[in-house]
Amino acid sequence: MTGAHADRGLEMFRAGDFPLYTLTFVRGTSPAELLSRMGVDPESLALRDGMDLADDFGDDLYDDEEPVVATGVDGSWTWAWEQGGVHGLDERILSAVSRGTEAVALHYNEKPMYCFAYAVDGEVVVDFDTLQAIEPTGRDPRLLEEHMRPLGLVPGERAPLHGVLSLVENAFGIRLTEPAEVDDLRMSGRLSLLPE
C-alpha cells in the first residue's frame, strides 16, 4: 500500500498482518521533535525508507526494550510507529510528547487487545484497554463517551475487535499512510531504554 490509501484512516491495521505495534500521534509537531521527546538515540536518527530500516536494524526492528521507530505526518498529526515496543504507552513518554499539545497513543498485540490513551498538555485525560471489559480512567474518563458508545466501546462491556481504531479515526480525524518500502524516506531511529 502506498500514499493512495491516505484517506483510508487506519485501515491498513485492520487488513494487514501487524502482530504488535504502538502508534503515537501528536498534533502539530515535527517528526524530529516527536522523536526527541520520545527519547530517540540521536546517533541513530536518520531519514530512511523501509529497505534502509531493514538494512540498518535487522531483527532489532522488533526489539521491545529499545524499539526502532519511524515517523511521518498525515494531516495535522505527526505519528511515530514502533513495530516492537510500547514506549508510546509509557506515562512519562505520553506526558513529554503531549506538552503544549495533545497526543493519542494506540497499542495492539495478538492477545488480541488494544490499549488507548489520550493526553493533553502532559496529563492523561482518558485511557483504557480492551483485554477485559472497558473501564476508562484518567483525568476525565467520560470525555470521549459520545464517540465511544456508537462504536460499541461501552464501559463495563467487551470491546468489538477494531472499535478502538474507529475511535481514533472518528474522534480525532487520525489517519496513517503506510510508507512505501522504497524511496519513501521517513525520520527514524532507536528509542533509548526506558528508565526503571
Side-chain angles (χ1 to χ4, degrees):
M1 290 183 212
T2 61
H5 296 274
D7 61 346
R8 304 280 304 277
L10 300 173
E11 188 60 33
M12 63 183 270
F13 294 101
R14 290 181 184 88
D17 182 20
F18 301 100
L20 186 148
Y21 59 84
T22 302
L23 303 171
T24 303
F25 300 92
V26 179
R27 192 185 293 274
T29 191
S30 70
E33 175 66 17
L34 174 54
L35 291 184
S36 173
R37 290 183 181 197
M38 289 184 78
V40 75
D41 172 2
E43 292 184 11
S44 70
L45 201 57
L47 284 171
R48 299 177 178 91
D49 65 13
M51 298 293 285
D52 297 332
L53 274 173
D55 288 346
D56 289 356
F57 296 106
D59 288 343
D60 286 351
L61 272 175
Y62 309 103
D63 188 300
D64 61 345
E65 293 189 1
E66 296 178 278
V68 174
V69 63
T71 62
V73 178
D74 277 279
S76 61
W77 294 91
T78 300
W79 49 262
W81 180 359
E82 301 170 56
Q83 295 183 57
V86 293
H87 277 49
L89 280 184
D90 186 277
E91 197 163 330
R92 296 163 295 186
I93 298 287
L94 205 48
S95 176
V97 300
S98 67
R99 263 192 334 266
T101 185
E102 59 185 321
V104 173
L106 175 67
H107 169 75
Y108 171 80
N109 63 49
E110 286 186 305
K111 285 185 168 74
M113 71 174 287
Y114 285 93
C115 296
F116 168 88
Y118 173 57
V120 177
D121 200 18
E123 188 175 2
V124 175
V125 179
V126 182
D127 72 337
F128 64 87
D129 68 62
T130 66
L131 187 58
Q132 305 293 328
I134 295 174
E135 294 298 340
T137 60
R139 186 186 73 209
D140 188 358
R142 299 185 62 189
L143 178 72
L144 300 175
E145 201 168 271
E146 68 180 87
H147 296 285
M148 293 171 64
R149 282 193 173 276
L151 301 171
L153 299 170
V154 179
E157 296 183 13
R158 299 293 296 229
L161 180 58
H162 297 303
V164 178
L165 289 176
S166 298
L167 173 66
V168 170
E169 293 164 333
N170 297 348
F172 301 98
I174 285 174
R175 63 188 189 273
L176 191 157
T177 307
E178 185 174 5
E181 190 69 12
V182 180
D183 297 333
D184 191 355
L185 298 175
R186 307 284 180 154
M187 191 70 72
S188 59
R190 184 189 304 277
L191 294 175
S192 301
L193 193 66
L194 287 171
E196 291 294 323

